[in-house]
Amino acid sequence: MEILSRLPVEPLVQFGKTNYCLGVGDSLDNIETHVCGTFPDEIVKEILSRVPVKPLMQFKSVCKHWQSFIKHDRHFIDLHFNRLKSRPNLLYINTVQQKGLSQTNPASFKASKTLQQSISCGDIVEGSGGEEQVQAIASKVRITDDKWFLYDQVLEPVNGLVCFVDSKTRAICVHNASTREATPWVKSMLLEEENDRLANINRNKVITIHSSPIYQFGFDTEKREHKVFCFWRLVARSRRHVKNSMEKPDYECWEALTIGRDTQWRRINAVPNENNLVKLKDVLPPAYSSYRQVYEDGTIYWSNKEYYSDQWGDSNPNDPDVIVAFDVGGENYRVIPIPEFILDEPRDKDFRLPIGMLVLGGHITLLYRMEPHVVKLWMLDDTADKKLENCRGNTSNWSTETITLPFCCDKRVGGFGIAGSTDKILFEFKEYKDSVTSICLYSYDRRKKTCKKIEMDGVSSFNLYSGRSLLTTFTESLFPVQQSKS
């Protein structure tokens, strides 16, 4: 009964609908024999696809057959992921305070390579109290080993996988936060190769390359593979002419790494779609982006202009305001113009550009601040049948919605949608105190037009000390990070 006792009610009901009965006095071994050998595969998979990842990891030891399809059966892994989309989670990765380091000094956290990480995953549920509070109930908390990962940046999760970046060594590692499986670290050799190339060309000069690599994470929906991309802005100068790393790039390079297939980074030539209405001089994401990564249905999206990119002169002023849509599978991009009726809306000049981007019900959504407590969402339908007309400038696929929030909306406000839900948006409000970013989360119900603060185990704010911290929505998955055997 050990196995059946761990199943949620819904899978147990599915067992009850079958014509297979287990004896009341059956031993655990007999039950496992019945389950593994008597039930057809399609029934077992249908039931187990509703089970969270943690018990599934234990179920792998029931029999080799179960272990095989839990780890390697692509159809079952996809079915399981799609089922779990209806159970929203909150992922919180943060550093654990280490003796001798100042908790209020982010520089000390960035310099240290031995900090432990706390990884928490909470189920987002509606409370039953009179005020109908929203809670994120922690389903697991993991404290990593001291030298678990050497990283200083963590990217947004894609299909349950999280990408860690060590900018010092220019290496990445992809980790499944549910199964705890991870890839080896893969280091980029691009800078070494470029230095050698330039040294051969300029034998009488000492060349120094300054770089601003930008990492993006996505999923190829056709080949069912995760990919990491690194976009390089490179400045090559003789040392006596180098001013600083903020100079405009001399040239760009693009790299890709397919998880589970590539053992090293490969250079790519990302080309624009021939149907684009406009052309850009600078298509890369802003180096100083305040946006969280936005991925949806095989495409990575970014805006070529935003508050921080304007502030740092990081974007080309002659380029129009657009959304760049990078196809993960084809490794090319489309340019989607932002319509004039959005750009020309009456807003404070400090908020001309969007303060955030999110995915809401499958729609790419720009978040604009209209008034101190009011934001407007502009949502774009960029599904498969609309992609071509969007990059040709069609404006009919945009829709809008205005939302009033219980806190002041400025450039520190962001938002993100919940997978599998069209009614809920999570808004984050950032506060800075003693060099530490504190974030409060609010759940907004579009149907009820209510906004409630989220708590997790009684904690209503979350500290993010550096790029090593992450707070976002999350869907558990069984997606592998190593090459599948089948």
Side-chain angles (χ1 to χ4, degrees):
M1 284 297 183
E2 173 101 7
I3 297 173
L4 298 184
S5 69
R6 297 178 183 230
L7 294 177
V9 174
E10 186 180 3
L12 286 175
V13 171
Q14 295 297 321
F15 266 117
K17 292 181 179 179
T18 68
N19 294 322
Y20 301 92
C21 297
L22 302 176
V24 175
D26 277 352
S27 66
L28 178 59
D29 289 340
N30 287 338
I31 290 175
E32 291 178 356
T33 300
H34 279 297
V35 172
C36 291
T38 305
F39 285 87
D41 277 358
E42 60 269 19
I43 293 179
V44 174
K45 292 179 181 180
E46 181 70 20
I47 295 169
L48 294 185
S49 67
R50 294 172 166 82
V51 178
V53 171
K54 186 175 181 179
L56 279 183
M57 292 296 98
Q58 298 170 319
F59 288 177
K60 290 192 301 181
S61 61
V62 170
C63 61
K64 291 183 178 179
H65 183 57
W66 278 26
Q67 182 186 55
S68 177
F69 70 73
I70 289 174
K71 291 186 66 175
H72 305 299
D73 189 313
R74 289 192 174 187
H75 173 73
F76 175 76
I77 291 172
D78 288 343
L79 178 63
H80 178 266
F81 177 69
N82 289 329
R83 289 271 164 78
L84 289 194
K85 281 184 177 180
S86 62
R87 302 175 188 172
N89 286 271
L90 195 67
L91 180 67
Y92 181 39
I93 300 177
N94 207 12
T95 54
V96 178
Q97 185 177 12
Q98 184 182 19
K99 292 181 179 180
L101 286 180
S102 171
Q103 193 169 20
T104 61
N105 184 2
S108 62
F109 283 89
K110 187 174 182 179
S112 173
K113 291 297 185 181
T114 60
L115 287 178
Q116 290 179 306
Q117 314 299 318
S118 171
I119 302 180
S120 306
C121 184
D123 299 317
I124 303 174
V125 297
E126 295 286 347
S128 57
E131 296 182 1
E132 195 182 6
Q133 292 189 4
V134 178
Q135 293 181 322
I137 301 176
S139 59
K140 66 175 182 295
V141 177
R142 177 190 178 199
I143 304 296
T144 65
D145 297 329
D146 279 351
K147 296 184 179 180
W148 176 61
F149 278 145
L150 305 179
Y151 77 94
D152 50 21
Q153 182 186 2
V154 54
L155 304 183
E156 295 283 329
V158 175
N159 296 351
L161 272 57
V162 183
C163 181
F164 295 87
V165 179
D166 184 356
S167 59
K168 184 176 181 179
T169 62
R170 302 178 297 279
I172 65 98
C173 172
V174 174
H175 173 73
N176 186 315
S178 302
T179 66
R180 302 187 181 182
E181 297 175 343
T183 67
W185 284 93
V186 184
K187 178 181 177 180
S188 170
M189 303 303 295
L190 184 141
L191 284 188
E192 286 83 349
E193 293 170 358
E194 286 298 290
N195 270 311
D196 290 342
R197 183 181 67 84
L198 291 175
N200 290 329
I201 296 174
N202 302 276
R203 295 184 182 275
N204 297 324
K205 294 182 180 179
V206 179
I207 301 298
T208 299
I209 290 185
H210 291 266
S211 62
S212 301
I214 301 164
Y215 294 88
Q216 299 280 359
F217 190 32
F219 184 70
D220 183 344
T221 55
E222 182 177 346
K223 294 184 177 179
R224 316 303 295 168
E225 297 174 323
H226 286 80
K227 290 183 179 181
V228 185
F229 297 95
C230 187
F231 306 143
W232 294 86
R233 289 183 172 94
L234 299 172
V235 179
R237 297 284 190 275
S238 61
R239 284 183 179 172
R240 63 178 180 275
H241 292 144
V242 172
K243 296 179 181 178
N244 55 62
S245 59
M246 299 291 295
E247 292 182 89
K248 286 294 183 180
D250 293 334
Y251 62 108
E252 300 165 350
C253 284
W254 303 52
E255 285 188 304
L257 181 71
T258 302
I259 304 304
R261 182 155 56 90
D262 291 339
T263 58
Q264 60 185 6
W265 289 91
R266 52 187 170 81
R267 296 201 192 189
I268 62 174
N269 182 25
V271 296
N273 187 294
E274 61 182 9
N275 294 295
N276 289 329
L277 177 67
V278 297
K279 295 183 179 180
L280 299 177
K281 292 183 178 180
D282 186 5
V283 299
L284 298 188
Y288 298 90
S289 176
S290 61
Y291 290 165
R292 61 180 63 249
Q293 175 180 287
V294 176
Y295 163 84
E296 173 64 17
D297 194 26
T299 304
I300 301 171
Y301 297 87
W302 62 81
S303 171
N304 68 326
K305 294 183 181 180
E306 55 170 299
Y307 168 69
Y308 285 106
S309 64
D310 262 20
Q311 184 184 45
W312 292 101
D314 189 40
S315 58
N316 192 315
N318 296 321
D319 280 343
D321 291 21
V322 302
I323 296 173
V324 179
F326 185 83
D327 181 69
V328 176
E331 297 178 356
N332 53 29
Y333 62 88
R334 293 176 292 121
V335 178
I336 304 173
I338 299 176
E340 293 297 329
F341 56 77
I342 298 178
L343 298 175
D344 293 340
E345 278 189 310
R347 292 186 289 269
D348 188 302
K349 64 178 182 179
D350 290 337
F351 297 93
R352 183 188 70 82
L353 298 171
I355 61 174
M357 180 185 288
L358 61 145
V359 177
L360 182 58
H363 289 58
I364 304 306
T365 303
L366 295 177
L367 180 65
Y368 286 89
R369 189 260 205 187
M370 305 303 293
E371 297 177 15
H373 292 268
V374 179
V375 296
K376 179 176 279 191
L377 308 179
W378 281 101
M379 297 160 284
L380 174 66
D381 183 357
D382 196 44
T383 48
D385 58 333
K386 305 291 179 63
K387 293 180 183 295
L388 180 61
E389 56 188 58
N390 285 338
C391 69
R392 287 181 173 175
N394 189 310
T395 61
S396 63
N397 296 326
W398 290 86
S399 57
T400 189
E401 180 177 340
T402 301
I403 293 176
T404 301
L405 296 174
F407 50 85
C408 184
C409 309
D410 57 15
K411 299 178 180 71
R412 295 174 292 180
V413 173
F416 42 99
I418 299 176
S421 172
T422 58
D423 292 334
K424 300 292 177 65
I425 307 174
L426 294 192
F427 287 100
E428 60 179 22
F429 175 70
K430 300 178 183 177
E431 295 180 312
Y432 300 100
K433 185 178 181 180
D434 297 328
S435 300
V436 174
T437 301
S438 177
I439 292 183
C440 296
L441 289 180
Y442 295 82
S443 176
Y444 180 83
D445 190 311
R446 299 173 65 198
R447 183 171 50 86
K448 298 179 181 179
K449 299 187 182 304
T450 57
C451 191
K452 303 294 182 181
K453 202 170 187 177
I454 290 181
E455 294 188 356
M456 185 158 71
D457 292 344
V459 178
S460 59
S461 63
F462 306 82
N463 289 334
L464 303 182
Y465 295 110
S466 67
R468 302 170 96 171
S469 304
L470 177 68
L471 177 62
T472 186
T473 52
F474 173 72
T475 301
E476 289 190 313
S477 82
L478 295 169
F479 279 101
V481 296
Q482 303 288 353
Q483 180 66 48
S484 177
K485 295 179 181 180
S486 61

